[in-house]
Amino acid sequence: MANGAIEAPGIELGLDTFGDVTLAPGGEAKPAAQVIRDVVEQAVLADSLGLDYFGVGEHHRDDFAISSPDMVLAAIAGQTKRIRLGSAVTVLSSDDPIRVFQRFSTLDAVSSGRAEVTLGRGSFTESFPLFGFDLSQYEELFEEKLALFAELLKQGPVTWSGNTRPALTEQMVYPHTESGALRAWVAVGGSPQSVVRAAHHGMPLMLAIIGGEPLQFAPFADLYHRALAEFGRPELPIGVHSPGHVAETDEQAMEELWPHYAAMHNRIGRDRGWPPLTRLQFNAVASPNGALVVGSPETVARKITKVAKALKLSRFDLKYSHGTLPHDAMLRSIQLYGSQVAPMVRENLAKG
């Protein structure tokens, strides 16, 4: 089966986390080990609620606990039954495509065919110096490694050459997946070139919508469809990864999220030269037209439905972890997302 052709009926609704380091009840930062165990618990809850996907991000900073998503996903696989498991994202530029394929084909085996991988360049660059890669090759590294990964997905002899790793000649890479397919998404933050690249390689498109207005991404969805047609590719899924939080009421969701979201934004912003986030800016990004999917189940379902219709989505992943937002608040958000938001979204979309 071709990459990306595995599709559940209707929209898939999933969750993403970066394993953000949260606070203990006493106000101190939790150890990374406990955060990782909390993520496993969150994934088990998502599975019990019938959600479709659980994605784990890769970072190499002290404010995120997970640097090896596939290891955490393997632990989750042993405690879940049906939910699909993947990365959000794997930083392919600073990794070896062969090892990435091997790790996720192994995850596919231990999860009985539930593995996926989302490939990206990442919005953080700590992995480049950590693993000895030059940031001046930022574009070339991803371009070449994605091309190699596309060959690996065919699960046959690979012949490839480039500038960023040794060439391969008729090389077999093991293990193969049991089904012969591994769904591999390409994560895109807003570059038309990246959209076309995903279509060229015949990989599903994952749009990371973390700011601005989601409907502004409609031209990227249209470009992807046009590029698939020009490359002679079949229609493939489009997904969205977007941050959010669910609580019983809009006010509760906003008040729970605001201090943790602001602290996270400002911490990252100090490294990137951003001004501090104001409450007015937060309110704007959380408005009906903003990228932050926050509110009561009804509000969140309405917003997801609107984006899903506009972009003709096959998948929506809620990035539910936000800096120091407590584990218990995330569990409640997941519970509401799975038990109330997901059914409402599916019902809304079924109505057309």
Side-chain angles (χ1 to χ4, degrees):
M1 189 176 295
N3 172 57
I6 311 165
E7 275 196 85
I11 193 169
E12 297 176 347
L13 294 167
L15 293 163
D16 288 339
T17 179
F18 295 164
D20 308 53
V21 172
T22 55
L23 298 181
E28 70 278 10
K30 282 188 177 182
Q34 184 57 55
V35 173
I36 291 170
R37 291 190 288 269
D38 289 347
V39 167
V40 174
E41 181 182 353
Q42 292 155 14
V44 170
L45 175 60
D47 183 57
S48 73
L49 293 166
L51 289 166
D52 297 300
Y53 180 76
F54 193 83
V56 176
E58 172 196 347
H59 292 85
H60 303 272
R61 302 164 50 98
D62 62 358
D63 46 353
F64 299 109
I66 298 171
S67 61
S68 182
D70 43 284
M71 289 292 292
V72 178
L73 292 166
I76 293 169
Q79 298 188 44
T80 55
K81 299 296 183 185
R82 62 168 300 277
I83 196 165
R84 296 188 64 80
L85 304 170
S87 56
V89 301
T90 295
V91 185
L92 187 64
S93 305
S94 57
D95 211 328
D96 185 277
I98 292 175
R99 292 299 287 148
V100 172
F101 176 83
Q102 290 176 325
R103 296 197 301 265
F104 280 88
S105 62
T106 300
L107 174 65
D108 197 65
V110 299
S111 66
S112 298
R114 293 186 282 138
E116 301 184 4
V117 61
T118 302
L119 306 169
R121 290 174 287 190
S123 60
F124 295 86
T125 58
E126 288 83 2
S127 63
F128 286 80
L130 182 64
F131 298 116
F133 291 98
D134 190 338
L135 276 170
S136 68
Q137 292 183 290
Y138 187 79
E139 292 289 343
E140 183 182 25
L141 283 165
F142 188 69
E143 179 101 28
E144 286 199 358
K145 291 184 177 187
L146 187 65
L148 173 54
F149 202 89
E151 292 302 311
L152 294 167
L153 288 172
K154 299 173 184 177
Q155 303 192 41
V158 176
T159 297
W160 177 92
S161 63
N163 299 320
T164 55
R165 60 149 290 133
L168 299 170
T169 303
E170 292 294 301
Q171 179 70 55
M172 293 296 294
V173 176
Y174 303 105
H176 294 166
T177 60
E178 199 166 22
S179 68
L182 175 68
R183 184 192 272 182
W185 301 76
V186 175
V188 174
S191 162
Q193 180 184 2
S194 296
V195 172
V196 173
R197 182 188 292 126
H200 172 72
H201 291 301
M203 295 182 183
L205 181 70
M206 181 61 66
L207 295 168
I209 303 180
I210 59 176
E213 296 187 9
L215 299 194
Q216 291 177 333
F217 283 75
F220 290 102
D222 293 340
L223 174 62
Y224 181 64
H225 289 302
R226 293 198 309 272
L228 286 172
E230 289 178 11
F231 290 126
R233 301 282 190 182
E235 285 295 312
L236 293 171
I238 296 177
V240 159
H241 154 108
S242 202
H245 179 64
V246 193
E248 281 74 10
T249 67
D250 291 348
E251 182 181 8
Q252 181 183 347
M254 294 282 283
E255 293 308 313
E256 284 182 354
L257 183 58
W258 156 246
H260 306 285
Y261 185 88
M264 176 187 66
H265 180 281
N266 294 340
R267 184 181 63 250
I268 294 169
R270 282 193 292 272
D271 297 336
R272 302 186 179 187
W274 301 343
L277 183 72
T278 68
R279 184 59 193 255
L280 283 176
Q281 290 170 323
F282 174 76
N283 291 347
V285 78
S287 70
N289 294 323
L292 190 57
V293 185
V294 57
S296 67
E298 294 79 8
T299 295
V300 169
R302 188 162 52 247
K303 196 164 190 178
I304 293 173
T305 301
K306 180 179 178 181
V307 175
K309 286 182 176 179
L311 303 185
K312 299 180 176 62
L313 298 184
S314 297
R315 160 83 64 77
F316 182 92
D317 291 336
L318 183 77
K319 196 272 187 178
Y320 68 91
S321 62
H322 304 275
T324 53
L325 183 68
H327 173 52
D328 288 346
M330 288 190 281
L331 288 176
R332 291 196 302 274
S333 181
I334 292 169
Q335 180 72 44
L336 291 169
Y337 181 70
S339 64
Q340 297 188 37
V341 175
M344 281 191 278
V345 170
R346 293 193 174 103
E347 182 180 354
N348 292 343
L349 292 175
K351 292 176 182 176

